[in-house]
Amino acid sequence: MKKLINAPETVIADALRGIEAADSSVRIDHQHRIIYRADPKPDGKVAVISGGGTGHEPLHGGFVGHGMLDAACAGEVFTSPTPDQMQAATKEVDRGAGVLHIVKNYTGDVMNFEMAAELAAAEAGVEVATVVTNDDVAVQDSLYTAGRRGVGVTVLVEKIVGAAAEEGRDLAAVTDLAHRVNEGGRSMGMALTSCTVPAAGKPTFDLPDDQMEIGIGIHGEPGRHREPLAPAKDIAAQLVEPILADTDMSGPAIVMLNGMGGSPLLELYLMYGEVAPLLEKAGVRIARTLVGNYITSLDMAGCSLTVLKADDDMLALWDAPVQTAGLRWGR
């Protein structure tokens, strides 16, 4: 294993120190491993928080800032944050209008966020609402979930809902919007290589050089099937077809071609060039596009496709100013 680390057991603490040194727009609670906006929202606005295991950067800490998240909790690599972390974050960011939790559908995340919400409500009287993202069409159940996994649409929910909270919508409206975005989004991923968790020191799974995994999860969970490596145009079809088969995506859409962490942008843009015509031929009108590493799996080579059937409100909120390490436009 070759990693730019000091020791496996200090990876998260060391990375948080690096974030603190690099980005003056956030502040770090090192005790609870929470990344906060340095300029909190004014009183009376809904706060939005998320979190999850580290190793998926820039999700979630890279999306803390104006127009997206108020805070993000960092768990151990590929492991949910604890209820204590999320309770602390919930109480800290509340501005009297309630807090929305955005939770990826993994058993530990759902359970721990639920406990945190109950504790924050009981101890501090914070009103908490929750949306659980579950957009992965690859499998119905996985090693970590009951039901579909929460993957790429989480990024889109955080951006769109974050903009709605920023402009002053109330908790009920923000929560309803979050559910609508989740329900309108679908994702499908694939891997060319495994990832290597620092504490494990070896690849999570064995994938021969001439094979690829279709429908992979962001923690290295198995997907639909393994098959011989194919040209990009064939891989694109295997990402697009399950999404289109699952739901009607005709009309305007936000499309994200996401890297899993180990594939260069050259390959991601090449893949987008194969994906876009397939979507357009099927009646998807690509209104907005995002290409790059946004929800990763450490050093895994591969990509995922997320398509969100978007209405005018979602598109306007997508275009709203955002200032985070991971997304930045407008303002």
Side-chain angles (χ1 to χ4, degrees):
M1 180 183 70
K2 291 183 178 180
K3 297 283 187 184
L4 294 173
I5 64 175
N6 293 313
E9 59 271 17
T10 66
V11 165
I12 299 168
D14 292 346
L16 288 172
R17 287 193 299 104
I19 292 169
E20 184 175 50
D23 190 353
S24 62
S25 69
V26 298
R27 64 180 179 85
I28 310 296
D29 174 350
H30 291 279
Q31 178 185 352
H32 295 103
R33 293 180 173 175
I34 303 169
I35 302 173
Y36 290 106
R37 284 176 55 159
D39 60 334
K41 281 196 184 97
D43 289 346
K45 286 192 175 183
V46 171
V48 182
I49 73 171
S50 192
T54 52
H56 304 306
E57 291 72 26
L59 193 83
H60 296 273
F63 299 136
V64 173
H66 179 89
M68 285 193 79
L69 298 177
D70 294 271
C73 302
E76 295 293 334
V77 175
F78 294 173
T79 304
S80 170
T82 65
D84 287 349
Q85 285 178 276
M86 290 174 292
Q87 178 194 10
T90 301
K91 292 165 61 177
E92 178 72 15
V93 301
D94 180 44
R95 292 295 175 265
V99 178
L100 176 66
H101 287 177
I102 299 174
V103 188
K104 301 187 301 301
N105 188 34
Y106 294 94
T107 303
D109 294 64
V110 172
M111 179 179 65
N112 288 351
F113 266 94
E114 182 178 351
M115 291 176 62
E118 292 174 354
L119 290 168
E123 295 184 9
V126 180
E127 183 179 4
V128 180
T130 301
V131 61
V132 177
T133 60
N134 57 354
D135 53 306
D136 190 354
V137 302
V139 291
Q140 181 59 42
D141 297 290
S142 75
L143 299 175
Y144 295 84
T145 67
R148 290 178 169 176
R149 302 177 291 217
V151 287
V153 83
T154 311
V155 177
L156 310 190
V157 171
E158 291 180 358
K159 170 62 184 84
I160 292 169
V161 170
E166 199 76 58
E167 71 176 24
R169 299 190 193 186
D170 65 22
L171 184 60
V174 169
T175 304
D176 177 69
L177 174 64
H179 285 297
R180 287 194 291 115
V181 174
N182 177 60
E183 290 164 3
R186 299 291 189 276
S187 298
M188 181 72 175
M190 59 79 59
L192 299 173
T193 70
S194 175
C195 57
T196 301
V197 176
K202 60 182 180 180
T204 301
F205 58 90
D206 178 48
L207 186 58
D209 289 344
D210 61 347
Q211 299 282 303
M212 60 183 181
E213 185 88 25
I214 302 296
I216 197 73
I218 57 173
H219 306 100
E221 311 99 310
R224 288 186 168 186
H225 59 274
R226 183 172 295 186
E227 63 181 64
L229 186 62
K233 62 181 180 180
D234 297 333
I235 296 172
Q238 295 203 57
L239 299 181
V240 170
E241 289 169 4
I243 290 174
L244 298 180
D246 193 82
T247 191
D248 176 20
M249 283 291 180
S250 60
I254 298 171
V255 176
M256 180 175 73
L257 196 289
N258 170 68
M260 301 305 293
S263 292
L265 279 171
L266 175 71
E267 295 176 20
L268 299 182
Y269 278 108
L270 187 154
M271 281 297 302
Y272 181 79
E274 299 294 344
V275 161
L278 296 177
L279 292 172
E280 291 165 350
K281 184 178 180 181
V284 178
R285 181 169 65 81
I286 301 174
R288 304 290 186 274
T289 301
L290 203 59
V291 178
N293 291 307
Y294 297 102
I295 173 170
T296 62
S297 184
L298 291 169
D299 54 348
M300 179 184 287
C303 67
S304 64
L305 174 66
T306 299
V307 183
L308 169 63
K309 189 178 179 73
D311 57 28
D312 290 342
D313 186 36
M314 293 178 192
L315 292 175
L317 291 167
W318 180 261
D319 291 340
V322 59
Q323 297 291 321
T324 70
L327 286 182
R328 188 178 296 267
W329 59 69
R331 200 179 179 185

